[in-house]
Amino acid sequence: MKGIVVTVAILLLAYPAYLWITYINETITTGSGYGFNIGDTKKEAYSKLNTALKDLGGKNGSAFVQVKSNSQMAKFVATDTDFDVMIKPLFHDVGYEQFEKQELWQFYVDASFFNTLKLEFCNGKLCRIHRHRKFFELP
């Protein structure tokens, strides 16, 4: 019985250590990173999204955004209304209008919540790039 308790305690302590070792967070507020420059306008950042996210995308080169389905969209994505779904945007010029309205753009690399890129805008200019990713990434 004592061995089981010790094993469970070790596992409970090992899991946070595993997360701390294998995942890192990086925030960039000056200079550049991940294909973007601090100070880029929204239009400039949008024009770089396709290339920058493809470079982050690993094997599939795919990045997704999370959107809330509405009654019109729900039947096409086979889900309920007001359900969050991941979609792979194409970043065509017609889509810029939706991004332009937002001050925070969040992308999920390979549709993973543990592999993200956030672009934050202050007064229409890129002011913060935040990358949350696995510590060790395979090509």
Coordinates of all heavy atoms in Angstrom, one line a residue, residues 9 11 14 23 42 52 57 68 70 90-91 115 117 121 130:
A9 N 2.2 9.8 -5.6 CA 2.8 11.1 -5.2 C 3.8 11.5 -6.2 O 3.9 12.6 -6.6 CB 3.3 11.0 -3.8
L11 N 4.1 10.5 -9.4 CA 3.4 10.9 -10.6 C 2.8 12.2 -10.6 O 2.8 13.0 -11.5 CB 2.3 9.8 -11.0 CG 2.9 8.4 -11.4 CD1 1.7 7.5 -11.6 CD2 3.7 8.6 -12.7
A14 N 5.6 14.7 -10.8 CA 6.3 14.6 -12.1 C 5.6 15.3 -13.2 O 6.2 15.8 -14.1 CB 6.6 13.1 -12.4
Y23 N 7.4 22.6 -22.2 CA 6.7 23.7 -22.9 C 7.3 25.0 -22.4 O 7.7 25.1 -21.3 CB 5.2 23.7 -22.5 CG 4.4 22.6 -23.1 CD1 4.2 21.4 -22.4 CD2 3.9 22.7 -24.4 CE1 3.6 20.4 -22.9 CE2 3.2 21.6 -24.9 CZ 3.0 20.5 -24.2 OH 2.3 19.4 -24.8
K42 N -1.6 46.3 -39.1 CA -2.4 45.1 -39.3 C -2.3 44.6 -40.7 O -2.2 43.4 -40.9 CB -3.8 45.4 -38.9 CG -4.0 45.5 -37.4 CD -5.5 45.8 -37.0 CE -5.7 46.0 -35.5 NZ -7.1 46.1 -35.2
A52 N 4.5 33.0 -42.6 CA 4.9 32.9 -41.3 C 4.3 31.7 -40.6 O 5.0 30.9 -39.9 CB 4.6 34.1 -40.4
G57 N 4.2 25.6 -38.9 CA 3.2 24.5 -39.0 C 3.7 23.1 -38.9 O 2.9 22.2 -39.0
K68 N -16.7 30.9 -33.5 CA -17.9 30.5 -32.9 C -19.0 30.3 -34.0 O -19.2 31.2 -34.8 CB -18.5 31.5 -31.9 CG -19.6 31.0 -31.1 CD -20.0 31.9 -29.9 CE -19.0 31.9 -28.8 NZ -18.8 30.7 -28.1
N70 N -22.4 30.0 -36.0 CA -23.7 30.7 -35.9 C -24.7 29.8 -36.6 O -24.4 28.7 -37.1 CB -23.7 32.1 -36.5 CG -23.2 32.0 -38.0 OD1 -23.4 31.1 -38.7 ND2 -22.6 33.1 -38.4
L90 N -7.4 30.9 -45.2 CA -6.6 31.0 -46.4 C -5.8 32.3 -46.5 O -5.0 32.5 -47.3 CB -7.4 30.7 -47.6 CG -8.0 29.3 -47.7 CD1 -8.9 29.2 -48.9 CD2 -7.0 28.2 -47.6
F91 N -6.3 33.3 -45.7 CA -5.7 34.6 -45.6 C -5.7 35.3 -47.0 O -4.7 36.0 -47.4 CB -4.2 34.5 -45.1 CG -4.1 33.9 -43.7 CD1 -3.4 32.7 -43.6 CD2 -4.8 34.4 -42.6 CE1 -3.4 32.1 -42.3 CE2 -4.7 33.8 -41.4 CZ -4.0 32.6 -41.2
N115 N 0.2 24.8 -28.8 CA 1.1 25.2 -29.8 C 0.5 26.4 -30.5 O -0.2 26.3 -31.5 CB 1.4 24.1 -30.8 CG 2.7 24.4 -31.6 OD1 3.2 25.5 -31.6 ND2 3.1 23.4 -32.4
L117 N 0.3 30.9 -31.5 CA 0.9 32.2 -31.8 C -0.1 33.2 -31.6 O -1.2 33.1 -32.2 CB 1.5 32.2 -33.2 CG 2.1 33.5 -33.6 CD1 3.4 33.8 -32.9 CD2 2.3 33.6 -35.1
F121 N -2.2 43.8 -31.0 CA -2.0 45.1 -31.6 C -2.4 46.2 -30.7 O -3.4 46.1 -29.9 CB -2.9 45.3 -32.9 CG -2.4 44.3 -34.0 CD1 -2.9 43.0 -34.0 CD2 -1.5 44.7 -34.9 CE1 -2.5 42.1 -35.0 CE2 -1.1 43.8 -35.9 CZ -1.5 42.5 -36.0
H130 N 3.4 36.6 -28.9 CA 3.5 35.6 -27.9 C 3.4 34.2 -28.5 O 2.5 33.9 -29.3 CB 2.4 35.8 -26.9 CG 2.5 34.7 -25.8 ND1 3.4 34.9 -24.7 CD2 1.8 33.6 -25.6 CE1 3.3 33.8 -23.9 NE2 2.4 33.0 -24.4

